Amino acid sequence: MSEPTENSSDAPIPVRSWLSLGSVLLVQSHNAFNDNFVKLVLIGLTVTVAAGTTLANYIEDILGAMITLPFILLAPLAGWFSDRFAKSRVIYLSLVAKVFVFGLIILALVIRSVPLALFADFLFLVQSTLFSPAKQGILKEIIGSKKLGTANGLMQMLTMAGILAGMALAGWWFDADLAARNEATGISPDHAWASAIYVITWAAGASLVPLLLGLLIRRTPQHPDKTFHASILGSHFLDLKYLLKQTILRRTGLFIAFYWFVANFVGLTFFGFAKEIHPNAAEGGVANSSARMFLIIGVGLIIGSLLVSFLSRKGNRLPLTILGGLGMALGLGLLGSLAPETIAWFGAIALIGFASGFFIVPLSAHLQDQIDPAHRGRVLAAQNLLVSFSGISAILASTLMKSIGIAVSTQVLVIVLPVVLVSVIFRQMLKKSALHQA
């Protein structure tokens, strides 16, 4: 059976290709689910069993840094693996690796070692880094160009669904099980270990399902001519240099990186709010409370993104980014000023998510539109590296503010002014067409 290619876009897509696509989409959604499920459980566990320690106070910052480091260190190597070997094989081996890492994290929980559990979580993130280019690159190989846009849209939507579902289920399940154990035999941090083992074991069992789905993915070609050389390991830094030399790409890329700085910073404050709302660590509640905030902002982002897509159906509309920035600033101001867990406060979180869609979607589309097709891969790699650096910056800012005793609500208010200023700068650049002209 011939593979669908860009040159055969009018040919019907075989059922086998649709089956492969469905398997890839479900596998990558489950992968996102697992990463976020484990992260929320580990945060809830650490806050409970290590209450009052530096580790518990900064656990969200530690895990946040762990998310970005594998990409900074391994992204080019992951890209080479995806180009050199069959992407279907890379995906399947990464699924197998995830099962073994689940075994390591369960061992860490059984022997009650938070450091070993965090190391296992880092291996989860390494697995996801190696998995990412393969799951993105395989789409065209199995479905061709005809439905590539649809496949990409479905992948993005299911990835977000997996992230939100993982957080929501982990937060609710861990805290519910912990509360039941505390009610049955009295409050004790020991119950957190038992609850973590219980829910993680179920998640580990569910990780066997993607192994079956992976067998349904059609074998894709490998490329033995893609030889490895040491310069590959630092190639994304050279790509970043290329991006920063291009005026339009640099300005657009920096605006996108700023958005992710804000997004990462706000995500860290959610855990801070949850800790303040549930000061008695042994009783739990931090995981479920923070997961609820992420779920609300995620749904707001999805709705905002869909509306922007509708408004932009006749062409990208960059001015919407200005509205998005001002909306984000308003939401952040309300989040830092209102009493936590009131209807209005949750509404502020939803507004931040909704406005985020207006801010980031037009920028992302503009970046894609301005990239020279011959350099698309290197520009996107550089942009991802820039986003990773912005994530590290957000973690450093959060850690600094916490270390000098700034309240979480004040931390949120601190970034309102930068968001407003960036929106004004964007408006001025757009007015002068600085984002369109070199």
Side-chain angles (χ1 to χ4, degrees), residues 295-325:
L295 183 61
I296 292 172
I297 200 170
V299 171
L301 174 60
I302 291 173
I303 295 173
S305 299
L306 290 175
L307 180 57
V308 171
S309 297
F310 174 76
L311 295 174
S312 305
R313 62 192 183 280
K314 294 184 179 180
N316 192 32
R317 300 181 64 180
L318 271 178
L320 293 177
T321 290
I322 303 170
L323 295 178

Side-chain angles (χ1 to χ4, degrees), residues 32-319:
F33 173 92
N34 277 335
D35 288 348
N36 289 276
F37 186 96
V38 171
K39 181 177 74 173
L40 257 292
V41 172
L42 288 182
I43 289 175
L45 171 69
T46 305
V47 169
T48 304
V49 303
T53 67
T54 300
L55 179 60
N57 292 337
Y58 294 94
I59 181 61
E60 61 270 23
D61 300 317
I62 294 170
L63 288 175
M66 285 169 51
I67 291 173
T68 58
L69 284 178
F71 179 85
I72 293 174
L73 298 174
L74 300 174
L77 182 62
W80 176 79
F81 269 115
S82 178
D83 290 339
R84 166 62 180 82
F85 300 101
K87 294 177 179 63
S88 56
R89 181 61 60 186
V90 173
I91 289 174
Y92 195 78
L93 291 178
S94 71
L95 298 176
V96 173
K98 194 135 215 169
V99 174
F100 283 98
V101 178
F102 259 120
L104 180 61
I105 196 170
I106 291 174
L107 172 63
L109 298 175
V110 169
I111 65 175
R112 300 193 173 189
S113 172
V114 171
L116 182 58
L118 294 179
F119 174 71
D121 186 60
F122 180 76
L123 294 181
F124 267 134
L125 299 170
V126 170
Q127 178 269 348
S128 292
T129 300
L130 297 174
F131 174 82
S132 181
K135 61 113 172 181
Q136 292 176 336
I138 199 174
L139 294 181
K140 186 173 181 179
E141 293 186 9
I142 62 176
I143 205 70
S145 299
K146 185 176 182 180
K147 297 293 183 180
L148 186 58
T150 299
N152 272 294
L154 288 172
M155 177 169 283
Q156 295 301 320
M157 186 67 70
L158 288 173
T159 297
M160 178 60 73
I163 291 171
L164 296 178
M167 287 185 169
L169 181 59
W172 168 79
W173 199 359
F174 174 79
D175 279 337
D177 190 77
L178 176 58
R181 294 176 190 273
N182 285 336
E183 184 177 356
T185 58
I187 297 175
S188 170
D190 291 342
H191 294 156
W193 290 106
S195 295
I197 292 173
Y198 177 68
V199 298
I200 291 292
T201 299
W202 273 102
S207 70
L208 298 176
V209 175
L211 288 180
L212 299 177
L213 291 172
L215 295 174
L216 301 178
I217 301 173
R218 192 188 67 207
R219 184 67 179 267
T220 55
Q222 57 181 336
H223 305 278
D225 57 308
K226 300 288 184 179
T227 57
F228 177 82
H229 48 88
S231 62
I232 288 175
L233 298 177
S235 60
H236 53 339
F237 289 97
L238 296 177
D239 295 336
L240 180 59
K241 183 178 179 181
Y242 170 82
L243 180 147
L244 294 177
K245 283 185 175 181
Q246 314 299 314
T247 304
I248 300 175
L249 300 182
R250 179 180 68 248
R251 290 170 175 167
T252 307
L254 288 174
F255 280 118
I256 292 173
F258 175 78
Y259 165 78
W260 285 110
F261 169 85
V262 175
N264 281 285
F265 188 89
V266 171
L268 293 172
T269 65
F270 284 170
F271 294 111
F273 278 118
K275 291 176 182 178
E276 290 185 354
I277 294 167
H278 301 278
N280 190 339
E283 292 181 355
V286 171
N288 193 29
S289 180
S290 55
R292 185 162 55 246
M293 299 176 212
F294 279 108
L295 183 61
I296 292 172
I297 200 170
V299 171
L301 174 60
I302 291 173
I303 295 173
S305 299
L306 290 175
L307 180 57
V308 171
S309 297
F310 174 76
L311 295 174
S312 305
R313 62 192 183 280
K314 294 184 179 180
N316 192 32
R317 300 181 64 180
L318 271 178

Side-chain angles (χ1 to χ4, degrees), residues 10 39 368:
D10 293 332
K39 181 177 74 173
Q368 291 274 0

